[in-house]
Amino acid sequence: MDQLLEQARTVWEGEIDFEGQKLAELLTYAILSISGVVAFFAGYFTQNIYNTLYTGLGGTALTFLLVVPPWPFYNQHPQPWLPPKTGRQAWQGVSIEVDGKKVS
């Protein structure tokens, strides 16, 4: 049961990496642009504004379904995080200056 809950938590956390963000942005622009052009021509050739609206809304819904959920292919290149430093090790080599005066 814990394994199932962990898988569900992983899906709903929404973790995507930087490459996944770039891919999501590219998909957004591409799908919305293509659906806009298709919607325009669908309405122009049929001379019906409803065809334009429905085609545009369909493209928007498709974009929403592909981009908004955190699909696993958006997290194929995760960045490793540095381990946290504690105690004196965390402040070793750090100098803080305030108004030109060294504080630590």
Side-chain angles (χ1 to χ4, degrees), residues 3 24 50 54 61 83 98:
Q3 185 180 13
Y50 290 116
Y54 291 142
V98 178

Side-chain angles (χ1 to χ4, degrees), residues 15-22 73-79:
E15 293 181 8
I16 65 172
D17 57 22
F18 295 118
E19 294 296 321
Q21 289 177 355
K22 188 189 301 184
F73 62 87
Y74 288 135
N75 197 16
Q76 292 182 354
H77 308 284
Q79 295 292 319

Side-chain angles (χ1 to χ4, degrees), residues 5-48:
L5 287 175
E6 185 62 32
Q7 288 176 348
R9 185 176 300 121
T10 302
V11 168
W12 289 106
E13 275 184 354
E15 293 181 8
I16 65 172
D17 57 22
F18 295 118
E19 294 296 321
Q21 289 177 355
K22 188 189 301 184
L23 177 62
E25 183 178 2
L26 178 69
L27 283 173
T28 300
Y29 289 135
I31 296 171
L32 287 177
S33 298
I34 291 169
S35 67
V37 169
V38 170
F40 173 78
F41 284 117
Y44 181 77
F45 287 125
T46 61
Q47 292 294 306
N48 190 347

Side-chain angles (χ1 to χ4, degrees), residues 32-99:
L32 287 177
S33 298
I34 291 169
S35 67
V37 169
V38 170
F40 173 78
F41 284 117
Y44 181 77
F45 287 125
T46 61
Q47 292 294 306
N48 190 347
I49 191 70
Y50 290 116
N51 289 344
T52 303
L53 293 175
Y54 291 142
T55 307
L57 286 174
T60 303
L62 177 66
T63 304
F64 180 84
L65 289 175
L66 287 176
V67 174
V68 172
W71 299 109
F73 62 87
Y74 288 135
N75 197 16
Q76 292 182 354
H77 308 284
Q79 295 292 319
W81 292 91
L82 294 174
K85 294 181 179 180
T86 58
R88 286 187 63 86
Q89 180 186 10
W91 294 101
Q92 199 169 21
V94 175
S95 64
I96 300 173
E97 291 186 20
V98 178
D99 292 332

